[in-house]
Amino acid sequence: MVNKRIEKLIQQLENDQIDLIAINAGQNLAYFSGLHFHKSERPAVLLVGKGKAPAFIFPEFEQEKVANAAFDIAPFAYTENLSTWGDAFKKALHYFNGHRSMVGVEPTAMRFLEINLLQRASSEIHITSAAHIFNALRTVKDNEEINSIRQAIQIAETALKSTIPFIKVGITEQEIANELVVNLLRNGSEPELPFAPIIASGPNSANPHAVPGRRKLRDGDLILIDWGARKNGYISDITRTFALGSVDDELMRIYKIVKQANDAARQTLPPNFISERIDFAARNVIKKKGYGKYFIHRTGHGIGLEAHEEPYIAANNSTKIVSGMTFTIEPGIYLPGKGGVRIEDDVVASNDKLITLTSLNRELKTL
């Protein structure tokens, strides 16, 4: 699998007239090499170019991990002595004859640390964005990747079901978040969750990315829960909104509207398999009901190794949706000072429809 991904990456380089790709620690490094390195003060950079095995610049104490890589790597290790870092970068570029190279990087992941070391290794290299290359290769998922997402969804859904009995009047948002995290780990999620769960109650639920706080739940609250799990590196991202006791009529009304919007987007069929058309399907439902100005974010985003990646389901995005793309559908209505509703599902595109991977009920559940 890794070798095939490297081969596809090299083919993209040839098509785009880029000499080398520099991939630093993070999800792209894991995707293309199978090597798992967290970003730290020590750089870890994979250089990929045609005609030679990829070069890997890394801390010397990680040699055993690199020796067990799933494909051939030309190793360039450095020590804890900072003066050896630049030398490792120079040797790696020399290995590729890359002193006058166009070097593509992931613009949202590559840091000044790595870029500075590359440029100091050769003043004649040119750094450019290779975001389009990474997106082209990672956006369409294979069956193994989709299966991992399915497993992450199952873990997340089971964890929430275990958490619901814990939710009651007087408990805090933080306490619910802590219980949910424990249940995610207990049910098989990898320790590195895709994001910290969002638990937002009452007026806080009108903030789409609220941080769980010490607010105690009250009768009549809406409770927005946005959470996910990770399995085999792949993530799930789900949101459900609950009622604690009896909520007022307007909150009930916006819940029904958001559910209709979620249904409309998930039921989009060809030829409308374009990001902006799926966004329109959800947004138009909310707009017609008079709440358009309270739907304040895009309808969805891609999921995979990261919680937010291509494709983005948003207005003015003409990306064509093709089989194998996995993304969220998550319309919402947020009434400042009162409360908000979001219903988020994970879907995968097939040839003729969107398949919903999440299975939790979308009817309003009263706790």
Side-chain angles (χ1 to χ4, degrees), residues 283-294:
R283 198 168 300 280
N284 194 45
V285 170
I286 294 173
K287 182 179 180 181
K288 284 185 174 181
K289 297 292 185 178
Y291 288 92
K293 70 178 182 178
Y294 300 108

Side-chain angles (χ1 to χ4, degrees), residues 98-171:
H99 293 294
R100 294 193 176 109
S101 294
M102 179 77 73
V103 180
V105 303
E106 184 185 4
T108 58
M110 187 65 77
R111 304 173 298 182
F112 174 80
L113 172 64
E114 291 88 1
I115 290 175
N116 186 47
L117 284 164
L118 284 166
Q119 291 178 330
R120 285 167 55 192
S122 173
S123 61
E124 297 181 85
I125 66 169
H126 180 71
I127 305 292
T128 188
S129 171
H132 59 292
I133 294 177
F134 293 121
N135 291 338
L137 295 176
R138 280 183 49 187
T139 300
V140 176
K141 310 299 191 291
D142 60 31
N143 289 336
E144 185 177 338
E145 292 176 290
I146 293 169
N147 186 53
S148 292
I149 292 171
R150 287 183 185 273
Q151 292 179 63
I153 290 169
Q154 184 178 15
I155 291 167
E157 293 186 337
T158 302
L160 183 71
K161 290 174 184 176
S162 299
T163 304
I164 285 175
F166 184 78
I167 301 173
K168 60 186 177 181
V169 171
I171 201 166

